Amino acid sequence: MDNMSIFERIDKLGALLSAASPEGKIESKKKLHKLVYLLQQTGEDFDEDFIFYHFGVFSPTLAGDLEFAKNAGQIRIEEPQGNDWGYVIKLSDKLPGKPRISLSDSAKKLVQHLADREPQLLETLSTIVYLNRNYYRGSALAQKLRDLKPDLSEHYSEAFKLSRELFQIDIES
Amino acid sequence: MISEVVIAMCTEMAENVRVETRENTQESQNSRSSIENRELEEKSSGKKKVLERLKQIQKFIRDPIHDIVKVDNDLLLSVLDSEPMQRLRSIKQLGTAYLVYPGAEHSRFTHSLGVYHLASSLMNQLELDGHKIDDYDKLVVKLAALLHDTGHGPFSHLFEAVLKEVDYKFVKKHDSWSKKLIMEHKSLAGLFDKYDEALTLKRDVTDVLSNSYKPLYLSSIVNAQFDVDRLDYMLRDSFMTGVNYGRFDLPWIFRNLSLKRVSEPDEDRRMVEVERITLDARRGLSSLEEFLLGNLNLYEHVYYHKTVQAANGIIISALIRAIDLMREGKDLGVSSKALSRIAKSEEMEIDDYLELTDGTVISWLTKWSLSEVDKILRDLSHRFLTRNLFKTIDLTDLSGKENACFKIRAEVEKKLNQDGWNSRYYCIGIDSDRIGYTPLSADEIYVTQKDGTTRRYSEIVFEKDGNEVSKAIVMRLKLRRSLLVLPEEYLKFANEVKKGWTT
């Protein structure tokens, strides 16, 4: 009654991957975590819990669901080799039919708008949205962002622009 | 010739632009660092003032789990006496579990005191280990620990499910309500502001609950896979229910915790150095594993107990029925601004929300159980109050089969509706997932090994020569349960439908 089942959650992830690219692929786990969070904040029904850590928002539920979907053969995850970084998550070719749960049209648009952006930009944007949801506004938000993410300063101005356009969050930089 | 001149001009222009840009960048960096320095100075002087205003006191509270809980300043005591904290005395820690475990009458208040006590003890332990923690930071963490559960609704997590089911569009989750109360509750927020002219103290406390307070390891004391919240609720719930699951060697775990710099990967395995609280694996690993296994056992045998879920199902159904009726314009004879706003899809004010406790809901059920307004509401209320609970059938084994649970439920619902029951209130699906430990999560558990290296627990468990017992424990730490909750009269029918899918 209160929660989506793991199968429904995975279906929803499948819908997100389908919206991200024609091959049903997202090149970065970071991007996926941040995208699901951003979609949830627009009101899209994703039943994943998020925590905040050194690299921004992260969902242990989503991490578990990805492993489950991989073991069930519904998605493939290509691991980074050697000292490289960046996982590739792709819908399996064997997935039967269409996912039973789909994304709303506005969510699809958001995914298409953000799926090709850099993971670090999405980390900055989702941190802004997270801080906004946690009582930070205007210059206080900008100050907290600088405090938490000094290494992402090159993404601030684009993230400020996106947060204004997509989430109506105004920040005095 | 002309083109050479043009190229030269363009090159010169480009150089000028580059110089200008560099100057602008330098200027903007200087201005940013001066802003940052000013912000740091202001913050530091604000913290000092808060500490100067605190009065040291010695207040001792007896606790069945931790023996003596010490409250050491007047702000903490005032927060303890505040309305949002005192309200927690009227919210049971384990919701309806007292209907199965009669001893489970303890409240969110005693749990919050325990979490506060453990947060203080853990910081003391880190200091004993040679790591100085700023006094202001200690105060912020203690306040966050004390206030972390103030946002719980009646019967703890149960009320969130009701809000979700009736499509309440505003703040639903208890952790968001806790932060809202800290930031906006008149007397609580006012209390913080009395000690803090800069008005940052309450924001710092909510930052700990949001995991964004720096240094970040401080937030993990209250919010992580291995945190003081879990440490307290496991020991307390185990003691109060009388089960033997969930006990572990707390003093030994604390004795073996310290703070270390570790290399931590992001989601895509990009590394960064961070500070983490770590456990000495040579001495503390068995206690950690006892803790992990105990946590899952409590979920399996207490929190997700089928009869507890059945009791939850009835109370959720009763509240949904009440809201549905109010939406149809029926007068249910109870005066509740909260209920009325939920029914009207309006946002609850803080005072409306604070009126909601276990006692409020029980008083509604008592009234409805005697009322003639609605047969269904009367029946559900009466069932809960007399412990004539629904029954459950377990569909977990079928949840992997395409649409099996959905189809079984649809068939049972059809039968109920044909017989004149209303399946919206008499057939409830409850899916519960619990992963006792999430390997490679952002809130990983770090352990220091014999050779002095600190690594994530999952890395040492799953490496080639990892301990087989540890591997088995981690593999066991997953729980998934899919239940169908329904009146006893339909249990036989539902089991027959289920049988059709299993054979």
Side-chain angles (χ1 to χ4, degrees), chain B residues 154-397:
Chain B
F155 296 98
S156 295
H157 296 280
L158 186 150
F159 199 68
E160 291 173 26
V162 175
L163 292 178
K164 189 169 179 196
E165 201 65 21
V166 298
D167 204 19
Y168 180 70
K169 299 278 185 217
F170 310 96
V171 177
K172 288 190 270 285
K173 294 202 164 182
H174 77 274
D175 44 354
S176 305
W177 268 108
S178 296
K179 291 183 227 172
K180 192 174 167 69
L181 289 172
I182 294 167
M183 292 300 289
E184 296 173 10
H185 182 264
K186 224 177 183 179
S187 64
L188 190 58
L191 196 56
F192 287 134
D193 297 347
K194 200 175 104 188
Y195 287 78
D196 170 36
E197 279 165 7
L199 308 184
T200 53
L201 179 58
K202 58 182 185 238
R203 180 169 273 160
D204 287 338
V205 174
T206 56
D207 277 358
V208 172
L209 300 181
S210 305
N211 261 358
S212 57
Y213 188 72
K214 281 184 93 174
L216 290 175
Y217 81 87
L218 286 172
S219 297
S220 76
I221 291 175
V222 188
N223 250 338
Q225 293 203 65
F226 181 68
D227 61 15
V228 291
D229 184 15
R230 288 183 200 202
L231 290 170
D232 182 81
Y233 79 62
M234 286 174 61
L235 292 174
R236 194 171 298 279
D237 296 347
S238 171
F239 180 80
M240 299 304 288
T241 53
V243 301
N244 276 312
Y245 315 111
R247 297 180 186 179
F248 51 87
D249 195 347
L250 177 71
W252 191 244
I253 287 182
F254 268 25
R255 173 73 191 75
N256 288 296
L257 291 176
S258 57
L259 195 68
K260 299 244 183 305
R261 280 199 81 75
V262 302
S263 211
E264 180 164 298
D266 75 353
E267 300 94 322
D268 290 322
R269 228 200 264 171
R270 212 192 299 222
M271 309 300 279
V272 74
E273 287 264 308
V274 295
E275 275 181 316
R276 283 285 201 174
I277 295 170
T278 72
L279 180 75
D280 183 340
R282 280 174 305 167
R283 299 192 184 96
L285 203 59
S286 304
S287 302
L288 170 68
E289 288 172 352
E290 249 180 347
F291 161 84
L292 292 172
L293 205 51
N295 185 271
L296 196 87
N297 283 332
L298 279 173
Y299 271 86
E300 184 160 5
H301 300 287
V302 179
Y303 313 140
Y304 291 168
H305 188 289
K306 63 185 173 62
T307 313
V308 175
Q309 300 285 44
N312 288 345
I314 287 193
I315 222 166
I316 291 170
S317 276
L319 290 171
I320 292 171
R321 178 66 180 168
I323 291 161
D324 286 350
L325 290 168
M326 289 172 84
R327 284 180 174 163
E328 289 168 14
K330 294 255 167 62
D331 178 6
L332 302 183
V334 296
S335 150
S336 160
K337 276 191 187 162
L339 214 49
S340 152
R341 284 192 199 270
I342 297 167
K344 288 181 194 156
S345 302
E346 290 173 0
E347 185 171 13
M348 276 184 279
E349 301 281 333
I350 281 178
D351 287 342
D352 307 335
Y353 189 72
L354 289 181
E355 94 181 18
L356 298 170
T357 63
D358 295 5
T360 323
V361 172
I362 293 289
S363 74
W364 296 342
L365 296 178
T366 309
K367 192 151 203 169
W368 296 336
S369 74
L370 302 168
S371 157
E372 296 295 328
V373 175
D374 181 67
K375 208 175 92 183
I376 294 175
L377 191 56
R378 190 177 65 223
D379 177 55
L380 293 169
S381 304
H382 190 258
R383 277 174 186 267
F384 184 81
L385 294 172
T386 55
R387 202 186 175 278
N388 174 21
L389 303 176
F390 286 161
K391 297 291 175 192
T392 57
I393 66 165
D394 193 337
L395 304 179
T396 313
D397 295 344

Side-chain angles (χ1 to χ4, degrees), chain A residues 9-149:
Chain A
R9 293 202 301 265
I10 288 170
D11 262 5
K12 193 99 190 191
L13 281 179
L16 191 160
L17 289 168
S18 300
S21 74
E23 317 98 281
K25 185 172 85 171
I26 282 190
E27 291 182 355
S28 158
K29 273 192 189 173
K30 181 190 287 281
K31 215 185 260 188
L32 186 61
H33 279 264
K34 305 332 183 200
L35 263 178
V36 171
Y37 176 77
L38 291 170
L39 286 168
Q40 206 182 54
Q41 296 310 306
T42 62
E44 190 69 19
D45 193 13
F46 273 96
D47 210 2
E48 318 277 1
D49 286 325
F50 280 87
I51 54 176
F52 191 85
Y53 81 132
H54 299 279
F55 304 100
V57 291
F58 176 94
S59 168
T61 334
L62 175 58
D65 290 352
L66 283 176
E67 279 305 300
F68 188 93
K70 185 180 89 175
N71 294 335
Q74 289 174 292
I75 59 165
R76 282 189 286 131
I77 301 179
E78 288 165 24
E79 298 206 2
Q81 299 300 311
N83 290 330
D84 279 356
W85 53 268
Y87 291 82
V88 177
I89 302 125
K90 199 174 169 193
L91 274 176
S92 166
D93 305 333
K94 291 173 200 157
L95 193 71
K98 280 192 202 165
R100 287 159 293 188
I101 299 177
S102 59
L103 292 186
S104 65
D105 288 345
S106 60
K108 276 183 202 160
K109 270 186 202 157
L110 189 77
V111 173
Q112 281 150 9
H113 192 52
L114 296 176
D116 287 336
R117 303 300 189 97
E118 277 185 75
Q120 282 67 29
L121 173 65
L122 296 196
E123 182 178 335
T124 317
L125 177 61
S126 54
T127 300
I128 291 172
V129 176
Y130 183 81
L131 291 174
N132 178 263
R133 302 295 187 252
N134 283 288
Y135 298 92
Y136 280 94
R137 307 279 183 270
S139 58
L141 196 156
Q143 181 184 331
K144 186 71 183 174
L145 182 70
R146 282 199 298 274
D147 184 31
L148 286 171
K149 304 271 166 206

Side-chain angles (χ1 to χ4, degrees), chain B residues 443-493:
Chain B
D443 55 353
E444 253 282 10
I445 299 168
Y446 279 81
V447 291
T448 304
Q449 295 175 285
K450 207 193 289 185
D451 61 5
T453 55
T454 297
R455 298 167 67 197
R456 293 181 292 177
Y457 173 61
S458 55
E459 284 175 333
I460 63 159
V461 169
F462 289 112
E463 66 192 358
K464 264 186 194 161
D465 54 349
N467 183 309
E468 290 302 323
V469 176
S470 300
K471 266 184 217 169
I473 288 174
V474 171
M475 299 302 283
R476 159 86 180 79
L477 294 175
K478 288 176 190 130
L479 176 65
R480 190 156 48 77
R481 191 166 277 172
S482 190
L483 296 177
L484 200 57
V485 180
L486 70 180
E488 189 169 9
E489 299 90 307
Y490 287 82
L491 191 61
K492 197 173 160 203
F493 175 79

